[in-house]
Amino acid sequence: MASKDRILRLKEETRCNILDASLKIVKEGGWDALSMRKIADEIEYTAPIIYEYYSNKGAILLELTRKGFLLLAKDLETAKSKHRLPAKQLEAMWLAYWNFAFAEKELYQVMYGVETSCCEMAKKMPESEMPMDLIWDVIVELMLPHVGTEDEVCIKYYTFWSVIHGLISINMVNRGNTPETNQEVLKTAISGIIRSITG
Amino acid sequence: MASKDRILRLKEETRCNILDASLKIVKEGGWDALSMRKIADEIEYTAPIIYEYYSNKGAILLELTRKGFLLLAKDLETAKSKHRLPAKQLEAMWLAYWNFAFAEKELYQVMYGVETSCCEMAKKMPESEMPMDLIWDVIVELMLPHVGTEDEVCIKYYTFWSVIHGLISINMVNRGNTPETNQEVLKTAISGIIRSITG
DNA sequence: TTAATTTATTTAACACTGTTAAGTAAATGA
DNA sequence: TCATTTACTTAACAGTGTTAAATAAATTAA
């Protein structure tokens, strides 16, 4: 029976539609807006139908995560293919990584656990600037006798912060490293940036 | 009336108890476990009482966030006070930052939007390793003719990844920077690490 | 002390959430 | 045409944040 095939094809399509609908909802209203009933609305079914295609909400997120990794890998490969020197390839790949993160913001968030709902909160809270202020001052001192411009200090501060916050996030979310590797990355990064300041 | 003072003191105490209870619940069962009814249970009241002290759940998270920033700032100051040279101070401060993140994991999560519930998912998904594998290969090539050990490559990879993922996270959550600053941090970091590899 | 009023606290409810079981309509097979 | 499977929906459960109404307790006034 060819109708079996047609039905299977339709099922595969709905499975895909669920994913597309989910991503659409998230892009429009953020991750909090994503609910089974809204997905159902979007694909013009009722909520329980979704469970015929995904065992639960987590499975949908998992599939979006997989989709994200595949897309990112593809971007990295095309970036690499545009150069021959490894140094140029590496630079292009990390720029592609950067671009992916913002082009597919929602996917990147679910892939690496970047929560944005808290961002409204921490803003407008004066205490949130205390750590930066404290470290800022020391960077300025370290630069002496050269008096660094706002931009110069800013770049140094964010380089520090990025590498350390990045390493923390990766370890919290992904639990990937041995303590030794972490310490090594951390210490060499810090001393490297310090050297780049003191010259 | 002195009883007014006593009542005010009790109120301030309950306000504090709500925060303590919240943090306790999160530490025991993660952020998903935190609900108004569980907080109420912990402080031996019913849920609506909490709204006499905090306008909503978000206000509790906000207060925990503030608490976190104050604690972090204190840690940074004591770290700084233990040294005189700016370079040593800076190193000690960033190490204190690192230690704070893991000592007060839950606070750090709410301060900077580090989601951990997704970590169970991405694990055991082969696709999640594709980006790393792709970049790994290029790092190995960049090291040639020297054949890097597993550890050597790992440290370089995580240094790259940390600084870029960190910068991405910071911008998504806090969206603090001008595009120019971001590009500057990104490009100088990448070329800096590449130079540290090629010697 | 008793009555009136304010304060403290709880119960009940609303609109949501993810998820499951039972019921109903539609399509398929004999 | 009848029986059976498939497709889908309705109803329900336990949970969420939050608000309004009801009740208990404490305080003040007479």
Side-chain angles (χ1 to χ4, degrees), chain B residues 180-198:
Chain B
E180 292 78 29
T181 309
N182 281 330
Q183 289 301 317
E184 183 73 17
V185 173
L186 198 61
K187 292 229 170 189
T188 59
I190 291 173
S191 63
I193 304 172
I194 287 179
R195 258 198 311 278
S196 87
I197 294 176
T198 56

Side-chain angles (χ1 to χ4, degrees), chain A residues 4-194:
Chain A
K4 290 270 180 194
D5 286 14
R6 198 205 63 218
I7 284 170
L8 269 173
R9 216 166 45 228
L10 278 179
K11 282 218 162 197
E12 195 50 42
E13 201 183 315
T14 328
R15 222 184 116 83
C16 193
N17 286 344
I18 290 171
L19 240 50
D20 292 347
S22 303
L23 200 52
K24 184 186 172 197
I25 292 165
V26 174
K27 281 184 179 172
E28 283 170 356
W31 284 101
D32 284 350
L34 185 64
S35 80
M36 299 304 259
R37 284 171 178 84
K38 273 190 205 130
I39 298 172
D41 261 25
E42 196 71 36
I43 62 171
E44 294 179 301
Y45 279 107
T46 50
I49 275 289
I50 303 175
Y51 293 84
E52 308 265 323
Y53 298 88
Y54 296 95
S55 61
N56 50 36
K57 192 181 178 181
I60 298 177
L61 301 189
L62 196 75
E63 207 55 39
L64 285 176
T65 307
R66 190 193 321 281
K67 206 172 170 172
F69 280 118
L70 287 170
L71 211 59
L72 173 55
K74 209 194 66 191
D75 284 6
L76 292 179
E77 273 173 341
T78 58
K80 180 183 173 183
S81 75
K82 295 224 169 99
H83 300 82
R84 295 207 52 232
L85 290 176
K88 286 284 169 193
Q89 288 178 332
L90 214 46
E91 191 187 353
M93 287 171 94
W94 283 120
L95 287 179
Y97 186 101
W98 171 272
N99 288 329
F100 171 86
F102 293 98
E104 300 291 344
K105 183 180 157 189
E106 294 77 18
L107 290 183
Y108 192 89
Q109 285 171 0
V110 73
M111 287 160 70
Y112 294 115
V114 182
E115 170 93 73
T116 49
S117 60
C118 75
C119 84
E120 305 305 321
M121 302 195 333
K123 227 176 298 177
K124 296 267 176 184
M125 170 158 51
E127 288 88 347
S128 73
E129 288 169 12
M130 291 170 61
M132 167 153 150
D133 291 345
L134 284 167
I135 289 172
W136 188 283
D137 290 347
V138 183
I139 294 178
V140 169
E141 270 211 61
L142 187 65
M143 283 181 161
L144 292 178
H146 170 66
V147 179
T149 68
E150 186 108 356
D151 277 1
E152 280 176 309
V153 183
C154 190
I155 284 164
K156 293 303 174 186
Y157 172 73
Y158 273 97
T159 308
F160 269 121
W161 190 20
S162 294
V163 67
I164 287 151
H165 172 68
L167 196 59
I168 289 169
S169 304
I170 287 169
N171 273 277
M172 275 192 186
V173 173
N174 221 353
R175 107 266 161 246
N177 285 347
T178 67
E180 291 78 28
T181 309
N182 281 331
Q183 289 301 316
E184 183 73 18
V185 173
L186 198 61
K187 291 229 171 189
T188 59
I190 291 174
S191 62
I193 304 171
I194 287 179

Side-chain angles (χ1 to χ4, degrees), chain B residues 82-108:
Chain B
K82 295 223 169 98
H83 299 83
R84 295 207 53 232
L85 291 176
K88 286 284 168 193
Q89 288 179 331
L90 214 46
E91 191 188 353
M93 288 171 95
W94 283 120
L95 287 180
Y97 186 101
W98 171 271
N99 289 329
F100 171 84
F102 293 99
E104 299 291 345
K105 184 180 157 189
E106 294 77 18
L107 291 182
Y108 193 89

Side-chain angles (χ1 to χ4, degrees), chain B residues 160-177:
Chain B
F160 269 121
W161 190 19
S162 294
V163 67
I164 288 151
H165 171 68
L167 196 60
I168 289 169
S169 303
I170 287 169
N171 273 276
M172 276 193 186
V173 173
N174 222 354
R175 78 146 184 337
N177 286 349

